[in-house]
Amino acid sequence: MKVLKFGGTSVGSVKSISTIIDILKNESSSGENPVVVLSAMGGVTNLLSTMANKAAAGEDFSAYVTELESRHFEVIKALLDVHQQNPVFTRLKILFNQLEDILQGISSLREITPKTHDLVLSFGERCSTFLVSKIAEQSLGPVEYVNACDVIKTDSSFGQAKVQTELTDMLIRDFYEANKGKMLFVTGFIASNEEGRVTTLGRGGSDYTAAIFGSALNAEEIEIWTDVNGMMTADPRMVKKAFPLKELSYIEAMELSYFGAKVIYPPTMIPAFMKRIPIVIRNTFEPSFPGTVISHESRPSEHSVKGISSINEISIINLEGSGMVGKAGFSGRLFSLLAREQINVILITQSSSEHSITFAVNPLDAVKAKLLIEQEFELELEAKKIEVPEIEEGLSILAIVGENMKRTSGVSGTLFHALGRNGVNVRAIAQGSSEYNISVIISRVDLAKALNAVHDAFYTDLKKTLNVFCLGTGNIGKTLFKQLEQHRDFLQRQNGILVNVIGISNTRKMVFEEGGLSLQNWQETLDSSGEPADLDAFIARMREMNLPNAVFVDNTASQVPIAYYEEVFRSNISVVTCNKIGNSASYQQYRKFSDLARKHGVDFYYETNVGAGLPIIRTLKDLMMSGDRVIRIEAILSGTISFIFNNFKGSTSFYDIVKQAQEKGFTEPDPRDDLRGTDFMRKMLILARDAGYALEPEDVKIENMLPQSCLDAGSVEEFYEQLKLNNEYFEGLKTKAESTGKVLRYIGKLENGDVSIALEMVDEAHPFYMLSGSDNIISFTTERYKERPLVVKGPGAGAEVTAAGVFADIVNVGA
């Protein structure tokens, strides 16, 4: 025999009640009739409470009574045969008249006692249960409406009554035996004291009623039918990836429920716990889903934690002072005081020196608790043995729960790494010796971010989400979006990473979408829905969204975004950039960026600063990290200059090849911007700094390859004229190189802390001799690669390879 409890949403409409009848038909056909426990229709309990408060304030409540009647009468008309409607209408009308009389009495007295409040609330369950029992009777055979006040007996703690277990069990068993063969429909939530006065069982009372009946009747199973597919790994309203758990132990379920999981209330489980009766959480609206089984023992999980729960709003009270150290009975006085006044302490943590105690309470109880403490410890406060208690508000609790935690090392490390990396400050920590739970108190504004970050950290078989904010929609930005969209499925399947582009901005417009922008039509969205671009506002919005695993991507070549990097790092947001200006300015700035990233536990990736998508920076860092020592670095890191000298041979003039490079789009509008070597200098400077040298831009020695007259030309046209006039100079260089079997190469060098860039002639023994097209090349001579240098070669420019480098850096943030 089973006990089935249906919550308010399950009895909230004609459609849902029809679904309940179908579920009960299936249950009754497969065995003994279940006992059915019902809540009030969804929203009715709140409606009744509002009526009572309106009446106590002397306000008109008639519209609420009319609404209550309408909701129940609509169900009767829709689901009951016409010839069976009148008796039900009559019975419900009598109940509504009784309710109205009680409300009139409250209105006359202008007050409502807890006893009367319980009586008013009882009409919700009484009406819904009677109504559903009559609908069920049409198709399920003999039924019996059970007012739980007749069989569940409690003390007189109205609003949160304590059950008299032995008497209640006897009454339930007797009633059940007397009605064998009938399906019992029981009012949830309500009971009565010894005088027969209505009491209520508190929050989760209908679940509790089901557990009381299940325990009394030694049920095979208690099913709690609600509107979700079971206990979830986290609050699905904040964690979109949360999924239902197949099974939990009683202890795990109680821990999750205690720390905020709303599906089931901890006291509900106590009667089932005592009798080891399984509790199953099922979804009324998806009855085929197996739900979550809560039992005495659950099988070991593949995950180190079963679930992550949270309490959205809590306050903490800090009590400290020398008078607490070694003082026997101090904690007893404190917590006995709070217990006497019905103040529930959610979490406690105490310093090892016993100098301070921090405890969490409901925000509604915080001020009362502070006043009580000040009264109880008045003498200690006057003697300055303890300080005045402090209340901190705007806080939340996040708790990870699971029996597997005590058998798994590194659980707390994973938790705190996920929080720290996302800039979530932990205010207090509590962990029981049983190791079923680790609870942390954090700022309320960080709760959603923390839940998502911790969920990603523990459920690694799910896809880790990176929330990306992109600056720049030029060739590199557009190509990056195309690549992210093309490889979206592969990235999720192979790397377990989901990249959500949350914000996009160029110099004209910016747009945001917290769920992620579509990269198929991002341009149309930006043009049609974007607001005017404002970099201050873009950065501020990125910070305000406070998303986990956030990445700021700078795909510009502008000086302006660099000024915001420091603020981004301090917001615990990683930075990926192809903009080399930041790292090639002052050494102090370069060092600050690296230090801030390390301090705030985020990443700073800039592989594309040198050689576009070529793995140059990563190779250098890996060499140094593994203990190798750089002896010399030689490089050609300008695709433009590489193209020019690779093709400056035979009868082709230097003028012709520079003109050709510009026509192919390899050069800036003014080719001198490339030929001066400034961009090359920035790349060599970044390499030198990453190799451990504190150099400034002026420390890099650049040999001009152009005659001074070319550099001094007033316009691009005049520059080309000067190239023609200086043709003999360039031909002389080429002839000299060819006559000795060599080729011209513009090479950057790092050796003994000195960086230089100069035009050189190299022979076929040199690794740069066979360079072709616009390729970049770099040679690392190190202690390990002394005889044969490590060479990296390939395209060092172009939107495709640069975007691919940015793509790889983004993925590495999620690695």
Side-chain angles (χ1 to χ4, degrees):
M1 189 272 292
K2 295 180 182 178
V3 176
L4 275 60
K5 176 264 176 178
F6 293 92
T9 52
S10 300
V11 291
S13 67
V14 170
K15 183 179 179 181
S16 60
I17 292 173
S18 298
T19 304
I20 288 177
I21 302 303
D22 291 338
I23 292 169
L24 295 178
K25 283 179 183 176
N26 185 58
E27 286 290 338
S28 60
S29 66
S30 60
E32 191 172 345
N33 281 334
V35 172
V36 183
V37 177
L38 298 172
S39 296
M41 294 178 76
V44 164
T45 301
N46 288 338
L47 188 65
L48 289 164
S49 187
T50 301
M51 287 184 207
N53 292 330
K54 290 278 186 184
E59 299 175 15
D60 182 34
F61 53 80
S62 58
Y64 297 99
V65 177
T66 302
E67 181 185 343
L68 189 66
E69 288 185 1
S70 298
R71 287 192 62 184
H72 289 80
F73 288 172
E74 283 172 11
V75 174
I76 294 171
K77 293 171 185 175
L79 296 178
L80 267 176
D81 294 340
V82 174
H83 67 278
Q84 293 181 347
Q85 289 181 7
N86 277 339
V88 182
F89 275 130
T90 302
R91 177 71 176 273
L92 288 181
K93 190 62 180 175
I94 290 170
L95 287 172
F96 294 139
N97 288 341
Q98 290 175 359
L99 173 62
E100 200 160 6
D101 289 343
I102 295 166
L103 293 171
Q104 289 290 359
I106 294 170
S107 183
S108 298
L109 293 171
R110 291 290 195 276
E111 69 170 357
I112 181 167
T113 64
K115 182 191 298 185
T116 309
H117 192 258
D118 276 4
L119 179 58
V120 170
L121 295 186
S122 74
F123 282 86
E125 274 70 19
R126 288 155 67 189
C127 291
S128 67
T129 306
F130 177 74
L131 175 60
V132 175
S133 71
K134 290 302 177 184
I135 295 167
E137 195 172 32
Q138 295 179 128
S139 54
L140 295 174
V143 304
E144 186 70 27
Y145 162 71
V146 185
N147 185 338
C149 297
D150 297 332
V151 292
I152 298 180
K153 294 299 175 180
T154 69
D155 64 9
S156 297
S157 301
F158 296 98
Q160 190 82 47
K162 306 293 186 296
V163 176
Q164 296 178 13
T165 305
E166 289 185 12
L167 175 59
T168 295
D169 285 356
M170 182 188 71
L171 291 171
I172 290 173
R173 282 194 289 267
D174 289 347
F175 189 92
Y176 183 77
E177 288 300 323
N179 290 275
K180 275 281 191 181
K182 295 180 181 179
M183 188 178 292
L184 305 185
F185 285 78
V186 184
T187 57
F189 181 56
I190 63 175
S192 67
N193 64 9
E194 291 178 354
E195 298 171 354
R197 298 284 187 179
V198 173
T199 58
T200 59
L201 301 176
R203 175 188 155 199
S206 293
D207 292 351
Y208 196 13
T209 303
I212 291 166
F213 266 79
S215 176
L217 299 174
N218 293 311
E220 175 194 345
E221 190 172 273
I222 298 167
E223 294 183 355
I224 307 294
W225 290 80
T226 180
D227 57 356
V228 293
N229 280 335
M231 295 279 277
M232 308 289 281
T233 50
D235 186 341
R237 293 168 299 181
M238 287 189 275
V239 181
K240 302 304 180 188
K241 296 181 190 174
F243 59 90
L245 293 160
K246 291 182 180 179
E247 54 185 36
L248 291 166
S249 69
Y250 291 126
I251 294 173
E252 289 171 331
M254 283 195 281
E255 290 281 357
L256 286 169
S257 300
Y258 181 75
F259 284 98
K262 304 290 190 229
V263 175
I264 197 166
Y265 186 49
T268 300
M269 285 176 276
I270 294 172
F273 184 94
M274 300 302 290
K275 294 283 186 76
R276 297 195 175 187
I277 300 170
I279 299 173
V280 185
I281 312 297
R282 302 285 297 274
N283 189 345
T284 306
F285 307 100
E286 198 175 330
S288 61
F289 194 85
T292 302
V293 178
I294 303 169
S295 57
H296 181 70
E297 291 181 347
S298 65
R299 286 172 295 183
S301 169
E302 61 191 72
H303 301 110
S304 54
V305 304
K306 275 289 181 70
I308 306 160
S309 60
S310 55
I311 300 176
N312 292 2
E313 294 285 350
I314 61 115
S315 295
I316 61 174
I317 298 177
N318 298 309
L319 195 59
E320 60 181 48
S322 58
M324 296 165 57
V325 180
K327 185 75 171 178
F330 185 91
S331 298
R333 281 176 66 193
L334 172 62
F335 295 115
S336 295
L337 164 71
L338 298 173
R340 283 198 307 271
E341 298 297 329
Q342 300 294 305
I343 294 175
N344 182 39
V345 176
I346 301 168
L347 177 151
I348 305 165
T349 181
Q350 183 174 15
S351 66
S352 57
S353 66
E354 301 182 23
H355 184 265
S356 67
I357 293 176
T358 298
F359 60 93
V361 296
N362 187 303
L364 298 175
D365 293 330
V367 173
K368 179 183 177 183
K370 181 177 185 293
L371 292 173
L372 287 169
I373 293 168
E374 289 173 347
Q375 292 168 10
E376 175 72 19
F377 297 98
E378 183 178 5
L379 295 177
E380 287 87 346
L381 285 164
E382 287 181 1
K384 303 293 184 184
K385 290 186 177 180
I386 63 171
E387 303 296 326
V388 176
E390 295 180 356
I391 298 175
E392 291 186 52
E393 299 175 326
L395 301 171
S396 299
I397 291 179
L398 180 151
I400 57 172
V401 172
E403 288 186 343
N404 211 24
M405 287 166 54
K406 62 184 177 183
R407 295 184 290 271
T408 308
S409 61
V411 172
S412 57
T414 301
L415 169 65
F416 294 116
H417 176 75
L419 295 174
R421 182 175 175 81
N422 285 280
V424 179
N425 186 36
V426 175
R427 310 299 301 277
I429 306 164
Q431 179 176 10
S433 57
S434 63
E435 297 186 48
Y436 286 121
N437 170 305
I438 301 175
S439 308
V440 295
I441 295 176
I442 60 176
S443 173
R444 173 70 184 88
V445 298
D446 287 332
L447 180 59
K449 176 167 75 169
L451 282 169
N452 280 278
V454 173
H455 198 273
D456 269 2
F458 282 106
Y459 299 101
T460 52
D461 49 333
L462 300 179
K463 301 169 188 68
K464 181 175 183 178
T465 301
L466 297 178
N467 295 298
V468 175
F469 297 81
C470 287
L471 209 59
T473 59
N475 286 338
I476 295 171
K478 287 176 181 175
T479 307
L480 174 64
F481 296 151
K482 183 178 73 174
Q483 291 176 354
L484 286 171
E485 179 61 24
Q486 287 175 344
H487 299 286
R488 187 180 184 86
D489 293 340
F490 175 83
L491 196 59
Q492 293 182 49
R493 189 172 61 253
Q494 294 296 116
N495 298 74
I497 292 174
L498 173 64
V499 178
N500 271 349
V501 177
I502 308 297
I504 297 175
S505 180
N506 54 29
T507 56
R508 300 174 302 282
K509 286 192 172 185
M510 62 183 186
V511 67
F512 297 89
E513 177 56 58
E514 189 160 341
L517 291 156
S518 168
L519 295 183
Q520 292 180 333
N521 58 359
W522 66 268
Q523 186 74 64
E524 293 85 342
T525 304
L526 183 65
D527 293 340
S528 61
S529 307
E531 53 193 278
D534 181 330
L535 193 48
D536 278 325
F538 186 85
I539 300 295
R541 183 75 174 276
M542 178 175 68
R543 295 181 62 195
E544 287 164 10
M545 291 176 88
N546 204 24
L547 297 174
N549 306 316
V551 187
F552 175 68
V553 179
D554 180 6
N555 284 326
T556 75
S558 167
Q559 174 71 45
V560 179
I562 308 300
Y564 294 88
Y565 283 14
E566 186 174 338
E567 182 182 354
V568 173
F569 286 129
R570 293 187 189 280
S571 303
N572 292 89
I573 297 172
S574 296
V575 174
V576 168
T577 181
C578 63
N579 186 345
K580 64 183 74 71
I581 295 174
N583 278 328
S584 60
S586 71
Y587 180 79
Q588 181 184 6
Q589 178 173 280
Y590 162 87
R591 188 75 260 163
K592 177 177 278 189
F593 289 163
S594 298
D595 290 345
L596 282 172
R598 186 166 53 252
K599 178 181 177 181
H600 291 278
V602 293
D603 294 313
F604 180 34
Y605 290 140
Y606 47 89
E607 183 65 69
T608 49
N609 278 195
V610 180
L614 294 177
I616 292 174
I617 288 176
R618 191 165 294 115
T619 299
L620 173 59
K621 289 189 173 182
D622 286 348
L623 288 170
M624 296 186 64
M625 195 180 300
S626 64
D628 203 353
R629 188 180 70 85
V630 173
I631 297 172
R632 181 172 60 257
I633 293 176
E634 293 180 282
I636 295 174
L637 296 174
S638 168
T640 303
I641 298 175
S642 181
F643 175 83
I644 289 171
F645 284 106
N646 288 339
N647 291 279
F648 182 42
K649 52 192 174 184
S651 60
T652 306
S653 70
F654 196 76
Y655 166 87
D656 290 335
I657 199 64
V658 172
K659 196 76 173 174
Q660 186 182 345
Q662 186 175 28
E663 288 168 357
K664 286 181 174 290
F666 289 156
T667 75
E668 297 295 331
D670 186 338
R672 287 173 294 181
D673 292 341
D674 297 289
L675 297 172
R676 283 191 181 96
T678 305
D679 186 64
F680 198 165
M681 177 276 292
R682 290 190 178 121
K683 295 174 182 179
M684 289 301 300
L685 181 62
I686 293 168
L687 280 175
R689 287 172 172 177
D690 280 358
Y693 297 103
L695 301 179
E696 298 294 345
E698 55 269 22
D699 295 328
V700 180
K701 303 175 183 68
I702 304 177
E703 178 188 291
N704 285 325
M705 69 177 75
L706 298 175
Q708 194 62 40
S709 60
C710 294
L711 294 171
D712 293 340
S715 64
V716 175
E717 291 75 16
E718 188 178 335
F719 160 70
Y720 276 114
E721 288 298 321
Q722 288 297 323
L723 280 185
K724 286 181 179 179
L725 293 174
N726 285 278
N727 186 58
E728 189 175 335
Y729 165 76
F730 294 110
E731 286 297 319
L733 292 172
K734 181 170 63 174
T735 301
K736 183 178 179 182
E738 289 176 347
S739 66
T740 56
K742 297 180 180 180
V743 291
L744 294 169
R745 298 287 184 257
Y746 197 52
I747 299 173
K749 282 186 183 178
L750 166 65
E751 192 168 10
N752 298 322
D754 294 325
V755 181
S756 61
I757 302 172
L759 189 62
E760 297 186 25
M761 298 180 188
V762 299
D763 60 23
E764 59 185 7
H766 197 283
F768 295 178
Y769 180 83
M770 296 299 294
L771 197 64
S772 62
S774 60
D775 281 357
N776 281 192
I777 190 168
I778 186 165
S779 166
F780 295 101
T781 303
T782 71
E783 290 289 352
R784 293 178 190 149
Y785 295 92
K786 189 180 293 183
E787 300 303 322
R788 300 181 65 190
L790 173 63
V791 176
V792 178
K793 175 186 173 185
E800 286 289 339
V801 292
T802 304
V806 174
F807 189 146
D809 278 349
I810 292 171
V811 173
N812 278 316
V813 172

